[in-house]
């Protein structure tokens, strides 16, 4: 296992120390509760946005804490759900009296723990709503999930509803937009290599020198099938076809196209996938109105990519374009 | 070789197509001349900033084309200098009458070709100045270079002088600030793995399962020595010590700390390196006044990291903070 780490058991805490050291103007790390909180939280009258999940997917979620996006993030151990106590502490830390929305990726542990945290917070008088993302079209159920997995749309959702929450919109409106973004987004990923969880010390799965895993999950969980490595054009097609079908995207519609790297794939390859994706969409008269490319929801050092398409409406575009200032996404301010 | 590519000979062109498709508001790709040009170039009265180099280091340089940074970038084949014709075409495309600055990383091919392009442009009546970056403290000469190699400081320089150029400052002032940034920045990198140039089809060098290359170059060229893999704390120390010594950084000074990923290393590990770097600087009473973390000057899918420290002055801080809108760096607008 070749990693830039100290002790395996300190990986998450050491990384949090790095976040604290580099971004003091944006966030503070509460090491006792193992949460990342926006520097100016809680903000009176603003809906607090809390997300979280296992570590190993950076910058998700901690890298999205800041103005115009998340108010707090709860990082679990690598590929392990955070615990309800973290989520409760985060909920308390960001409650500005307007309620708190939990943004939960659909994995069994995350869902159960966020539910428990929401109950505990409600018992303290904090109004909590939740949205569960489940945009991965690859598989219906998986080793980690009942129903579809939550992946790339989570990033887009956190940005878009972060923009709305910043305006002082009520919890019901923020939750409603969150549900709409999730409903209009679909994703699929392909892995060229496995990744190694530090505590395991060996690759999560084995993949032959000429193989790829189609529909891989962000923890390396199995996808639809294993296949021989193909060209970027073919791989893009394998990902985008089920997305287009599932979203029933039609000629004349516009999307946000998100080409995501899984951690070990260089940007030059992501742009090649983007080129193929753009060709396919052009051929169907679907407009790429907004885009995002880079490593935003990763699986440690896994080589591979995922594509997320989000059918845009005017409100989504407005809040996508709204100012954001976080370690990983920043524009407009 | 496991890569998301089509034909090996189309890697750069395909990636350029992806850039064109995703960022039409920021840049245009001139496929005939194989250059990336800012969408609104040339800008009357503004010094044009042109950089370039081999591909495989993305987002450097094409990802830095846009408002507040580069006016054009010339991508060569992977790890191969662009040719003078590309540089000349880029120089012409961005000349708004105030002259053009060439930003050249110190590699023999790049330096020679940019010199030739500058002569050709001068013969056409375009005023051209050049800055050659050479911030890598690892080795004095290398397989690719006479003198030190230009690495991470190039990114910081392009941002900072991009801010100044946007104000309409004259070529002499922009060139002077560029020289100062280069003089005040130092870098060093460590590789945990090699990378594979598509046209070669096999790793550039071999590295044992428990080995790292200290002082590696961004083309995989040898560094100072090979050593057994060590902890993140030790690796950070190996990189930062020669930088601090070479820069003669003293207690009370402030720096921009840039923790760069070489392409295959996940962000969680970069933050662990950042944590160790911050500890070292804190111990010496050196302030991290600004920071940058992520994959900005890469070596395809190489696992590893480099640290760049830049001694800041007020002018550098002002133009670092100035608005920028490029595919890879964006803030303030």
């Amino acid at each position: 296992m070749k990693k830039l780490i100290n002790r395996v058991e300190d990986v998450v805490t050491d990384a949090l120390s790095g976040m604290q050291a580099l971004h003091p103007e944006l966030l503070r790390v509460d090491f006792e509760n193992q949460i990342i909180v926006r520097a100016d939280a809680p903000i009176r009258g603003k809906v607090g946005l809390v997300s979280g999940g296992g570590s190993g997917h950076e910058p998700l979620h901690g890298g999205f804490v800041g103005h115009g996006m998340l108010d707090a993030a709860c990082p679990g151990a690598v590929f392990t759900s955070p615990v309800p106590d973290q989520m409760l502490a985060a909920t308390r830390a960001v409650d500005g009296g307007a309620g708190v929305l939990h943004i939960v990726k659909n994995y069994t542990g995350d869902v159960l723990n966020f539910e428990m945290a929401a109950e505990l917070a409600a018992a303290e008088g904090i109004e909590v709503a939740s949205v569960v993302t489940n945009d991965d079209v690859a598989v219906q159920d998986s080793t980690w999930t009942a129903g579809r997995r939550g992946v790339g749309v989570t990033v887009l959702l956190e940005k878009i509803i972060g923009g709305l929450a910043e305006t002082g919109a009520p919890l019901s409106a923020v939750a409603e937009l969150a549900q709409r973004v999730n409903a209009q987004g679909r994703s699929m990923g392909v892995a060229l290599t496995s990744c190694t969880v530090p505590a395991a010390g060996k690759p999560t799965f084995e993949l032959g020198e000429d193989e790829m895993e189609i529909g891989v999950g962000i923890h390396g969980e199995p996808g639809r099938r294993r296949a021989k490595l193909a060209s970027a054009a073919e791989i893009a097609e394998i990902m985008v076809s089920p997305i287009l079908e599932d979203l029933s995207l039609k000629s004349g519609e516009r999307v946000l196209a998100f080409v995501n790297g899984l951690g070990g794939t260089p940007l030059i390859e992501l742009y090649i996938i983007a080129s193929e994706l753009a060709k396919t969409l052009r051929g169907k008269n679907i407009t790429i109105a907004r885009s995002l490319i880079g490593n935003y929801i990763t699986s440690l050092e896994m080589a591979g990519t995922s594509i997320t398409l989000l059918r845009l409406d005017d409100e989504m575009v407005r809040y996508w374009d709204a100012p954001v200032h976080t370690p990983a996404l920043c524009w407009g301010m």
Side-chain angles (χ1 to χ4, degrees), chain A residues 94-295:
Chain A
V94 307
D95 175 35
V100 174
L101 182 71
H102 289 172
I103 301 156
V104 188
K105 300 192 301 302
N106 190 32
Y107 298 96
T108 307
D110 292 334
V111 171
L112 287 174
N113 289 347
F114 265 110
E115 278 175 2
M116 191 175 302
E119 285 172 22
L120 294 168
E124 295 182 7
I126 303 173
E127 192 185 4
V128 177
S130 297
V131 59
V132 177
T133 61
N134 59 351
D135 52 307
D136 189 340
V137 300
V139 290
Q140 182 51 35
D141 297 313
S142 80
T143 41
W144 295 56
T145 324
R148 286 179 169 182
R149 301 173 298 216
V151 287
V153 89
T154 318
V155 176
L156 310 181
L157 184 153
E158 292 177 357
K159 168 64 188 86
I160 291 170
I161 71 166
L164 175 60
E166 212 67 48
T167 68
L171 181 57
S172 58
V174 176
E176 190 193 23
L177 181 58
Q179 300 292 356
R180 201 161 86 237
V181 172
N182 181 59
Q184 298 300 330
R186 298 289 189 283
S187 303
M188 187 148 153
V190 166
L192 301 195
T193 70
S194 181
C195 60
T196 297
V197 175
K202 60 183 178 50
T204 302
F205 61 97
E206 295 295 335
L207 206 52
E209 256 315 298
D210 59 345
E211 286 183 323
M212 59 181 174
E213 178 74 26
I214 295 171
V216 71
I218 56 170
H219 312 95
E221 63 268 38
R224 289 187 168 189
R225 62 188 171 94
R226 201 155 279 198
K228 293 284 176 204
L229 188 63
S231 71
E234 291 165 298
I235 292 173
E237 182 63 25
I238 286 170
M239 288 188 285
V240 78
S241 283
I243 293 173
L244 291 173
E245 190 177 338
D246 210 89
L247 258 184
S248 306
L249 273 169
K250 290 182 195 58
S251 173
E253 292 197 290
R254 62 188 169 148
V255 295
L256 189 160
F258 173 23
V259 180
N260 177 60
L262 294 180
T265 284
L267 190 56
I268 191 170
E269 297 181 30
L270 297 184
Y271 272 114
I272 294 174
I273 292 292
S275 168
E276 299 300 334
L277 170 63
K279 265 186 232 168
T280 298
L281 295 180
R282 212 177 294 129
K284 295 182 183 298
N285 191 32
I286 294 164
T287 302
I288 298 179
R290 296 293 184 276
S291 68
L292 183 67
I293 184 166
N295 296 329

